[in-house]
Amino acid sequence: MNKYPVKDASPVIIMKLVIFGPPSAGKGTQAQKLSKKYGIPQVATGDLLREHVAKKTQIGIKVKSYLDSGRLGPDELIVQMIGERVSRPDCINGYLLDGFPRTIGQAQELEKMTDVDLVLNIVVDFEALAERAVGRRSCPKCAAVYHIEFNTPKVQGICDKCGSKLIQRDDDKEETVRNRFRVFKEQTAPLIEYYRKKGKILDIDGSGGIDAVFGRLVAAIETIRT
Ligand code: AP5
């Protein structure tokens, strides 16, 4: 993490964070809140990929079948997409990576790009994950995330932020959810040990409500800001 003084202002703190956890742990929900609090953009691989699929870009056409089946897209393509995204001007004071890296190969490529300050590992038990996955509703336009019970929009089925009709994600079908959990266990969970060895990861209790988890994440981030 870098701090540099700005004339007549408090020092700017550059933070590069990774929000990590199994499918439906609450990464996107928390990343949106943290992004607002700290003024750094959320860079969510899943959202970027879904946008490519919706727009039928070259990347979208290549990754559609991976998303539909819950498999991970090719490292090379994902790394290139993230490299391009974090080089945009809004990332100058840092960013919050949500859903990246997801393999050891991606983590090694990320290291070549930059040094992350902290990996926040949201830990949630399986029953709560399943409950969160089943009730999720998402905005296809602005990527806001809701839950039919735990985080309801003001008007049922309508996004508070942009007024679009909320949807259930295609990959939230039962069989695909099962596959996403399996893929997490096999390909993504080894990153916990990888970052543990580097002393860069903090486990965050992901149980309880959204605000309770947010409070724990903020407390963890504050430890590296002081
Ligand atoms: P992605 O979109 O990243 O999916 P994911 O990791 O499975 O994560 P989710 O979006 O399902 O969950 P989340 O942890 O963000 O939880 P959320 O906040 O929504 O990736 C999708 C696909 O893209 C992958 O399967 C893969 O194909 C591809 N892909 C993505 N990244 C890739 C990469 N790096 N490499 C290769 N391929 C990649 O919360 C879930 C629900 O719970 C919501 O309804 C929310 O309201 C609710 N909720 C959240 N917190 C709480 C709480 N504390 N209490 C109660 N409810 C809560």
Side-chain angles (χ1 to χ4, degrees):
M1 186 168 49
N2 295 315
K3 293 184 188 185
Y4 60 84
V6 177
K7 207 175 170 205
D8 301 328
S10 48
V12 171
I13 299 180
I14 299 176
M15 271 198 306
K16 292 171 184 171
L17 305 172
V18 174
I19 191 145
F20 186 90
S24 303
K27 301 182 293 296
T29 302
Q30 298 297 340
Q32 284 171 10
K33 288 169 76 71
L34 292 170
S35 164
K36 202 166 161 197
K37 178 171 174 66
Y38 291 108
I40 52 175
Q42 170 201 17
V43 174
T45 17
D47 292 343
L48 291 171
L49 292 171
R50 280 184 288 277
E51 203 181 314
H52 277 288
V53 171
K55 289 183 180 160
K56 298 192 168 70
T57 65
Q58 294 276 344
I59 292 181
I61 292 163
K62 273 191 201 150
V63 297
K64 187 173 182 326
S65 63
Y66 290 93
L67 264 83
D68 287 348
S69 61
R71 287 173 300 140
L72 296 182
D75 278 359
E76 204 187 313
L77 184 150
I78 305 286
V79 169
Q80 200 186 342
M81 183 182 78
I82 291 297
E84 188 279 318
R85 177 64 189 89
V86 300
S87 63
R88 290 191 208 159
D90 65 330
C91 291
I92 189 117
N93 289 331
Y95 41 81
L96 189 55
L97 295 172
D98 162 10
F100 180 86
R102 256 176 152 113
T103 62
I104 300 284
Q106 290 180 12
Q108 288 165 340
E109 289 303 315
L110 176 62
E111 250 165 49
K112 291 182 199 163
M113 269 185 242
T114 194
D115 222 4
V116 294
D117 298 303
L118 185 61
V119 177
L120 297 150
N121 177 32
I122 305 184
V123 182
V124 190
D125 67 46
F126 185 77
E127 268 96 273
L129 288 176
E131 223 180 1
R132 290 179 191 181
V134 170
R136 173 173 40 203
R137 296 294 179 271
S138 311
C139 176
K141 195 164 172 214
C142 73
V145 184
Y146 301 88
H147 191 280
I148 52 170
E149 192 181 336
F150 308 128
N151 184 21
T152 53
K154 290 189 186 90
V155 179
Q156 198 189 345
I158 302 294
C159 178
D160 290 347
K161 292 183 185 152
C162 73
S164 300
K165 200 163 174 244
L166 300 177
I167 56 155
Q168 185 164 27
R169 265 170 42 183
D170 283 346
D171 62 348
D172 276 344
K173 282 179 290 187
E174 201 185 322
E175 196 193 322
T176 316
V177 170
R178 247 201 314 269
N179 201 31
R180 282 164 52 210
F181 280 113
R182 192 181 54 75
V183 167
F184 175 81
K185 212 169 147 198
E186 287 171 11
Q187 293 179 260
T188 306
L191 283 173
I192 297 172
E193 202 43 42
Y194 178 88
Y195 282 114
R196 189 98 61 212
K197 281 191 186 139
K198 294 180 185 289
K200 292 230 162 178
I201 197 163
L202 280 181
D203 290 342
I204 308 294
D205 175 6
S207 65
I210 291 170
D211 289 341
V213 179
F214 181 64
R216 291 177 207 129
L217 286 164
V218 169
I221 293 170
E222 291 304 320
T223 62
I224 62 157
R225 279 165 61 89
T226 47

